[in-house]
């Protein structure tokens, strides 16, 4: 062990973990024939600040240990010192590729805890923005995945489409990236006709853009050769490791919370759940590509079914009043003051609410002691759980495959490190 | 050319120096500036972007600005690097790719050296690049650089074999190793080019066409691998090895690697053009002959040579922004299981045809 002069305590821990994966080797073996390589946290392929320490034999990866926490901001602890309303902007910063879906997931958990009934129109709007944000998230995922295997143009094309979604979000929420669009009891603003027109225009032209993108990659010999049979995650392992989302469906498990435990109005919508049985990187890619099409189908249906009505629940003690009423009416002013300063005070109890996010099951576990602040707050983030599969599926692959596998698992470190 | 210079300056040394630096300053530096700009514009066009637009009209001065920035940059040598090798490596890499230009005929009157073994010289001297790349990877004392250098060495050496085999099959037809002679043979019209079976008419020419096309495809694929372009850019695979063998380089040393890469791109394109597509020869005869201005011919030749070279450079860029990257083992599979056997079979068939 003394041979690692420069190894500090955390490096030592990782080296120990590397050795623990393969108890037969000694540290001398590693120094003799093998190389320990550090990928990240500053590495172009690690999607943010994921750090991997890999033991290489030539270019073959013998074992790999992921090291997380470089983006840890303590969001779970921070939540305990904030009112439920104050926390909404922080959900943007979890999975920052699909902010709207996080907003929706969080307020649904709080509403379940406080027992607020949300108007139908608001729920439909939430479905629309969540699915648009799923499209945005998956576009980033497949684009960066293509970039990881060397196809730069595909990446640019997906980002071009994502840009249009962000323009839509700009119209709906007033912000392109950090949307913070949902409110407890509804959504911040109604979908106006201009926004609906923008969404329809986007979806109409997206079909062609999607086809163009698929043409570039789906039948590309090099792309398929690079990914077929790489990073196979067997069904049982996927379930045991708690993998969710497209990664689980790529391993042949038909589990999608939108179908398994329908929330919002997903039970009224007709959509398929793409499932591939191969469990390799290519299958995970195909699941995402198919989900892109399914999501645009869902948005079309939601726009058709979008009912008229209010977008905020009528519950003065828990739901923020309208801005113009605050300035003109006494009672609304008092309610606004109480809600903003002391919170919505949900009843004592705990709740776990999970939704299907682009990355997988995003769950919020909230314990309330009756005050305006949560007593305990836990985020079940899909990226964190999905990353658990990395040591298993990277074993005996080449170092180029590790890059492809990270891309196919699609972790977002903002969410994994919380 | 060299003789003319000797006569002008009355000194062989000055003539040698001028002959050596002429292509660098007149051709390769402007070409590199233009090619970097072209690459960015081509990629931007393919990706629905504008590319550089701010520096000068349509961003034409972007690469000049980049070069100025690189010159100003601090020259960093990391602490544990092997300084001598670290400094020597970019020079060697550039020397290897630049020396190849000595045997490439730009026009019928300008060629660095009219040695009869031009092609052989190019094959040999461009292997010097491997030594430079290995040196840079080793001297950087960085694991990524080392991996990149190892990949590069394995790749370039493997792909020299199909290149050499294809060149051999062309040499069998033309009967010369000199690129200048080879270009001279393919004179007059484009159907005299080697890819269309050479200048001699007959059954041979018709039979040769398909095999020459196969030879060209093999040559072009292996030349892509030799200059580390996508889909064979694994030595500098950005998403895997950060920047491969030149990860630790900064400032002018990095610029020299960069320059070498672009010089190499043009070198292989020029060789492909010279061997298969008539070199500096115009495809439709010369305008200068038509109107009786003899001095116009070399300029026309330079124009056609540059155009042919640039076309293949453009194809390299086109491929780069379309295709993903192969994996190391797949790269070796392509070379040893497909290109080399096909090149061998092609060589034998072309040999048999030329016996007819």
């Amino acid at each position: 062990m003394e041979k690692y002069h420069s190894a500090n305590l955390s490096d030592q821990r990782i080296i120990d973990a590397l050795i623990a994966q393969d108890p037969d080797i000694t540290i001398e073996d590693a120094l003799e024939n093998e190389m320990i390589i550090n990928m990240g946290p500053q590495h172009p392929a690690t999607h943010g600040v994921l750090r991997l320490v890999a033991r290489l034999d030539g270019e073959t990866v013998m074992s790999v240990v992921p090291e997380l926490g470089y983006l840890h901001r303590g969001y779970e602890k921070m939540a305990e010192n904030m009112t439920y309303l104050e926390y909404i902007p922080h959900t943007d910063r979890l999975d920052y590729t699909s902010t709207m879906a996080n907003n929706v997931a969080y307020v649904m958990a709080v509403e379940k805890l406080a027992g607020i009934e949300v108007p139908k129109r608001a729920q439909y709007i939430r479905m629309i923005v969540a699915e648009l944000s799923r499209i945005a998230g998956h576009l980033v995922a497949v684009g960066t995945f293509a970039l990881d295997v060397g196809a730069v143009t595909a990446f640019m094309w997906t980002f071009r489409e994502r840009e249009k979604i962000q323009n839509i979000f700009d119209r709906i929420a007033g912000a392109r990236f950090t949307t913070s669009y949902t409110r407890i009891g509804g959504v911040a603003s109604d979908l106006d006709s201009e926004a609906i027109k923008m969404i329809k225009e986007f979806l109409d032209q997206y079909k062609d853009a999607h086809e163009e993108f698929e043409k570039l990659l789906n039948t590309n010999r090099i792309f398929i050769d690079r990914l077929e049979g790489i990073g196979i995650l067997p069904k049982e392992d996927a379930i045991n490791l708690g993998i969710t989302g497209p990664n689980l469906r790529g391993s042949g498990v038909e589990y999608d919370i939108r179908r398994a435990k329908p929330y919002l109005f997903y039970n009224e919508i007709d959509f398929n759940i793409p499932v591939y049985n191969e469990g390799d990187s290519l299958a995970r890619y195909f699941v995402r590509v198919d989900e892109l099409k399914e999501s645009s189908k869902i948005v079309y249906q939601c726009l058709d079914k979008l009912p008229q009505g209010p977008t905020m629940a009528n519950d003065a003690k828990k739901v923020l009043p309208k801005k113009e009423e605050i300035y003109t009416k006494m009672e609304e002013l008092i309610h606004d003051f109480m809600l903003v300063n002391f919170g919505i005070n949900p009843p004592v109890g705990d709740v776990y609410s999970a939704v299907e996010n682009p990355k997988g099951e995003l769950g919020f576990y909230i314990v309330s002691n009756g005050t305006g602040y949560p007593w305990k707050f836990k985020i079940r983030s899909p990226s964190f759980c999905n990353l658990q599969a990395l040591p298993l599926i990277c074993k005996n692959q080449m170092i180029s495959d590790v890059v492809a596998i990270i891309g196919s698992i699609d972790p977002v470190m903002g969410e994994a490190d919380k | 050319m060299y003789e003319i210079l000797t006569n002008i300056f009355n000194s062989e040394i000055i003539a040698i120096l001028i002959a050596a630096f002429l292509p660098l300053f007149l051709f390769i530096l402007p070409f590199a500036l233009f090619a970097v700009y072209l690459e960015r514009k081509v990629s931007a066009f393919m990706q629905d972007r504008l590319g550089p637009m701010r520096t000068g009209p349509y961003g034409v001065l972007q690469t000049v600005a980049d070069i100025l920035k690189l010159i100003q940059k601090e020259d960093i040598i990391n602490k544990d690097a092997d300084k001598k090798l670290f400094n020597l490596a970019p020079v060697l890499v550039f020397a290897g790719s630049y020396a190849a230009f000595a045997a490439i005929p730009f026009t019928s009157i300008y060629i660095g050296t009219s040695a009869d073994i031009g092609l052989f010289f190019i094959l040999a001297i461009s292997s010097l690049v491997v030594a430079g790349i290995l040196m840079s990877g080793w001297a950087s004392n960085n694991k990524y650089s080392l991996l990149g250098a190892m990949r590069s060495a394995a790749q370039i050496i493997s792909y020299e074999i199909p290149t050499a085999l294809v060149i051999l099959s062309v040499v069998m037809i033309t009967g010369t190793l000199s690129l200048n002679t080879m270009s001279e043979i393919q004179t007059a019209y484009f159907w005299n080019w080697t890819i269309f079976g050479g200048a001699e008419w007959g059954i041979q020419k018709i039979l040769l066409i398909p095999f020459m096309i196969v030879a060209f495809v093999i040559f072009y694929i292996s030349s892509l691998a030799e200059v580390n372009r996508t889909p064979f850019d694994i030595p500098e695979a950005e998403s895997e090895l950060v920047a491969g063998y030149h990860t630790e380089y900064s400032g002018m040393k990095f610029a020299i690697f960069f320059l070498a890469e672009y010089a190499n791109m043009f070198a292989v394109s020029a060789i492909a053009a010279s061997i298969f597509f008539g070199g500096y020869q115009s495809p439709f005869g010369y305008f200068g002959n038509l109107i009786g201005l003899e001095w116009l011919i070399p300029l026309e030749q330079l124009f056609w040579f540059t155009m042919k070279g640039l076309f293949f450079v453009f194809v390299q860029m086109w491929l780069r922004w379309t295709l993903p990257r192969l994996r190391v083992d797949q790269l070796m599979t392509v070379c040893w299981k497909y290109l080399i056997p096909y090149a061998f079979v092609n060589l034998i068939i072309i040999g048999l045809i030329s016996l007819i």
Side-chain angles (χ1 to χ4, degrees):
Chain A
M1 295 291 169
E2 298 80 43
K3 293 197 173 173
Y4 289 90
H5 324 283
S6 57
N8 60 27
L9 211 65
S10 97
D11 288 341
Q12 194 59 56
R13 198 159 45 78
I14 295 166
I15 292 164
D16 290 345
L18 277 172
I19 295 168
Q21 285 190 8
D22 192 356
D24 297 335
I25 63 147
T26 61
I27 193 77
E28 277 73 28
D29 279 342
L31 290 170
E32 197 82 354
N33 312 316
E34 290 158 3
M35 184 154 81
I36 289 173
I37 198 167
N38 177 54
M39 286 174 85
Q42 296 288 328
H43 187 281
T46 50
H47 291 223
V49 286
L50 173 64
R51 181 184 178 204
L52 298 175
V53 182
R55 194 157 66 82
L56 300 182
D57 180 10
E59 289 228 3
T60 313
V61 176
M62 309 297 284
S63 55
V64 59
V65 174
E67 162 92 341
L68 281 79
Y70 285 91
L71 205 59
H72 182 63
R73 294 148 294 178
Y75 270 157
E76 287 165 340
K77 191 68 189 167
M78 276 164 75
E80 292 170 19
N81 295 302
M82 287 178 175
T83 63
Y84 291 96
L85 262 171
E86 273 180 306
Y87 193 70
I88 292 173
H90 289 292
T91 58
D92 291 337
R93 280 112 180 131
L94 288 175
D95 173 3
Y96 42 74
T97 59
S98 51
T99 53
M100 286 283 200
N102 302 339
N103 297 158
V104 172
Y106 170 69
V107 292
M108 276 176 62
V110 177
E111 280 154 9
K112 198 170 166 188
L113 183 68
I116 300 168
E117 195 65 38
V118 181
K120 210 172 171 190
R121 183 174 172 88
Q123 296 211 34
Y124 265 97
I125 294 175
R126 284 180 184 184
M127 271 161 78
I128 292 170
V129 293
E131 290 305 321
L132 280 177
S133 139
R134 187 186 312 278
I135 295 176
H138 278 349
L139 281 174
V140 176
V142 292
T144 49
F145 179 48
L147 185 70
D148 285 342
V149 295
V152 190
T153 300
F155 168 75
M156 288 292 172
W157 287 0
T158 55
F159 266 64
R160 178 191 64 200
E161 297 306 311
R162 173 174 177 263
E163 200 65 18
K164 291 169 189 163
I165 295 180
Q166 299 209 305
N167 287 339
I168 294 172
F169 286 171
D170 188 18
R171 175 77 203 177
I172 299 175
R176 289 157 46 80
F177 195 67
T178 48
T179 47
S180 309
Y181 176 56
T182 53
R183 295 287 179 275
I184 292 159
V187 291
S189 58
D190 199 2
L191 273 191
D192 56 0
S193 58
E194 175 65 24
I196 290 174
K197 205 180 115 214
M198 279 172 87
I199 297 172
K200 275 191 175 143
E201 268 170 15
F202 166 74
L203 290 175
D204 288 343
Q205 64 83 39
Y206 177 70
K207 251 183 243 155
D208 297 333
H210 186 88
E211 236 166 61
E212 191 185 38
F213 168 79
E214 279 197 317
K215 258 189 228 159
L216 188 68
L217 288 183
N218 284 12
T219 52
N220 189 319
R221 189 78 226 160
I222 298 175
F223 187 73
I224 290 173
D225 278 356
R226 268 298 299 273
L227 301 169
E228 212 169 16
I230 297 304
I232 293 177
L233 179 61
K235 201 171 175 174
E236 291 74 33
D237 289 319
I239 295 170
N240 290 341
L241 286 167
I243 311 294
T244 46
N247 300 330
L248 182 67
R249 293 191 282 277
S251 289
V253 184
E254 193 178 342
Y255 176 73
D256 186 322
I257 302 174
R258 288 176 294 176
R259 185 58 56 79
K261 292 170 194 150
Y263 53 96
L264 298 174
F265 285 104
Y266 278 113
N267 49 358
E268 290 182 7
I269 305 287
D270 168 44
F271 65 100
N272 299 324
I273 300 169
V275 176
Y276 285 79
N277 292 319
E278 291 84 358
D280 55 3
S281 301
L282 195 62
R284 290 191 278 274
Y285 162 77
F286 276 133
V287 169
R288 291 203 175 85
V289 171
D290 289 357
E291 275 186 13
L292 280 170
K293 278 189 270 185
E294 293 303 323
S295 288
S296 49
K297 238 166 79 183
I298 295 173
V299 180
Y300 267 127
Q301 291 178 45
C302 289
L303 285 176
D304 287 342
K305 291 185 177 177
L306 188 65
Q308 293 301 323
T311 53
M312 284 291 259
N314 186 15
D315 189 343
K317 296 282 176 208
K318 282 168 182 149
V319 177
L320 280 178
K322 281 199 183 82
K323 208 76 187 173
E324 48 273 22
E325 288 172 356
I326 298 169
Y327 291 136
T328 50
K329 290 181 183 158
M330 195 61 211
E331 200 161 326
E332 267 74 15
L333 179 65
I334 295 168
H335 279 138
D336 185 67
F337 181 78
M338 295 301 284
L339 282 172
V340 170
N341 286 287
F342 301 104
I344 58 167
N345 301 334
V348 181
D350 63 337
V351 70
Y352 177 74
S353 157
V355 301
E356 184 73 24
N357 241 34
K359 308 283 180 266
E361 176 179 341
L362 176 66
F364 288 94
Y365 178 68
I366 309 173
V367 183
S368 163
N369 57 357
T371 62
Y373 302 90
W375 184 76
K376 176 89 182 88
F377 192 89
K378 166 91 180 84
I379 304 165
R380 190 256 182 231
S381 63
S383 293
F384 180 72
C385 298
N386 290 349
L387 275 174
Q388 290 185 101
L390 214 53
L392 177 78
I393 61 180
C394 284
K395 212 164 190 173
N396 296 328
Q397 307 286 352
M398 312 270 292
I399 192 153
S400 325
D401 297 335
V402 172
V403 172
I405 288 169
I406 298 171
S408 77
I409 284 187
D410 183 28
V412 169
M413 297 317 286
E415 187 179 63
D417 289 345
K418 287 171 282 199
Chain B
M1 188 70 189
Y2 170 63
E3 284 78 24
I4 304 169
L5 285 171
T6 319
N7 287 337
I8 296 173
F9 296 105
N10 249 334
S11 157
E12 269 193 49
I13 296 167
I14 293 175
I16 288 172
L17 283 177
I18 289 178
F21 282 111
L22 210 57
L24 178 66
F25 290 112
L26 275 188
F27 203 82
I28 296 169
L29 283 180
F31 164 76
L33 287 181
F34 176 70
V36 173
Y37 175 73
L38 185 72
E39 172 118 55
R40 298 179 71 166
K41 280 291 184 191
V42 166
S43 69
F45 176 69
M46 293 179 71
Q47 296 168 355
D48 274 5
R49 300 184 284 119
L50 288 174
M53 286 298 278
R54 298 292 176 90
T55 333
Y58 292 93
V60 283
L61 296 175
Q62 184 63 46
T63 35
V64 179
D66 284 346
I67 295 279
L68 286 177
K69 183 200 75 176
L70 279 173
I71 290 172
Q72 290 171 39
K73 278 211 165 184
E74 187 190 351
D75 183 30
I76 302 167
I77 302 176
N78 53 343
K79 199 179 81 189
D80 296 329
D82 187 332
K83 272 197 190 107
K84 275 181 210 154
L85 291 184
F86 191 82
N87 289 332
L88 189 61
V91 179
L92 210 57
V93 169
F94 183 70
S97 52
Y98 181 56
F101 280 87
I104 294 174
F106 287 84
T107 68
S108 55
I109 61 157
Y110 182 80
I111 178 165
T113 165
S114 47
D116 290 335
I117 51 158
L119 268 171
F120 189 66
F121 169 76
I122 288 171
L123 276 181
I125 201 80
S126 58
S127 301
L128 201 62
V129 177
V130 184
I133 287 175
L134 261 181
M135 220 181 251
S136 67
W138 180 256
S140 298
N141 205 358
N142 176 328
K143 287 167 182 170
Y144 288 110
S145 300
L146 184 63
L147 276 176
M150 293 303 288
R151 283 177 174 194
S152 181
Q155 173 182 338
I156 294 179
I157 292 171
S158 303
Y159 277 87
E160 297 245 300
I161 301 168
T163 316
L165 286 174
V166 167
I167 287 179
L168 210 59
S169 54
V170 178
V171 167
M172 277 197 308
I173 299 172
T174 53
T176 173
L177 270 168
S178 156
L179 275 175
N180 202 15
T181 325
M182 223 176 245
S183 306
E184 270 166 24
I185 295 172
Q186 308 175 48
T187 187
Y189 292 92
F190 62 86
W191 52 78
N192 287 338
W193 291 353
T194 318
I195 193 147
F196 300 118
E200 280 169 49
W201 286 94
I203 184 86
Q204 257 189 31
K205 186 176 162 76
I206 310 292
L207 284 174
L208 272 176
I209 293 174
F211 299 103
M212 288 322 285
I213 290 170
V214 171
F216 169 69
V217 170
I218 293 173
F219 180 83
Y220 199 72
I221 292 174
S222 13
S223 72
L224 278 179
E226 277 198 53
V227 294
N228 302 333
R229 297 287 294 182
T230 311
F232 307 106
D233 66 338
I234 57 158
E236 46 204 272
E238 197 205 329
S239 54
E240 295 155 25
L241 298 183
V242 192
Y245 54 86
H246 53 64
T247 306
E248 295 288 348
Y249 284 86
S250 66
M252 261 331 267
K253 283 189 202 130
F254 169 74
I256 290 176
F257 272 118
F258 209 60
L259 188 65
E261 189 189 324
Y262 279 87
N264 234 339
M265 268 169 74
F266 190 80
V268 293
S269 304
I271 296 165
S274 295
I275 297 179
F276 291 101
F277 291 90
Y280 50 73
Q281 303 283 5
S282 153
F284 327 104
Y286 292 107
F287 192 62
N289 269 341
L290 203 71
I291 58 172
L293 291 173
E294 286 281 321
W295 55 267
L296 208 60
I297 293 175
L299 288 179
E300 273 184 65
Q301 286 174 336
L302 187 65
F303 169 78
W304 284 113
F305 182 77
T306 317
M307 281 299 126
K308 284 170 189 172
L310 274 182
F311 175 74
F312 290 116
V313 169
F314 168 72
V315 175
Q316 285 179 351
M317 289 171 183
W318 185 3
L319 288 174
R320 171 169 180 184
W321 298 107
T322 312
L323 294 176
R325 168 186 317 124
L326 286 165
R327 204 168 52 217
V328 184
D329 54 328
Q330 290 166 344
L331 181 96
M332 290 300 165
T333 311
V334 170
C335 179
W336 291 95
K337 284 193 178 164
Y338 298 100
L339 293 186
I340 292 180
Y342 287 152
F344 256 121
V345 172
N346 209 42
L347 177 75
I348 293 168
I349 293 175
I350 289 175
L352 288 175
I353 291 172
S354 61
L355 279 179
I356 300 173

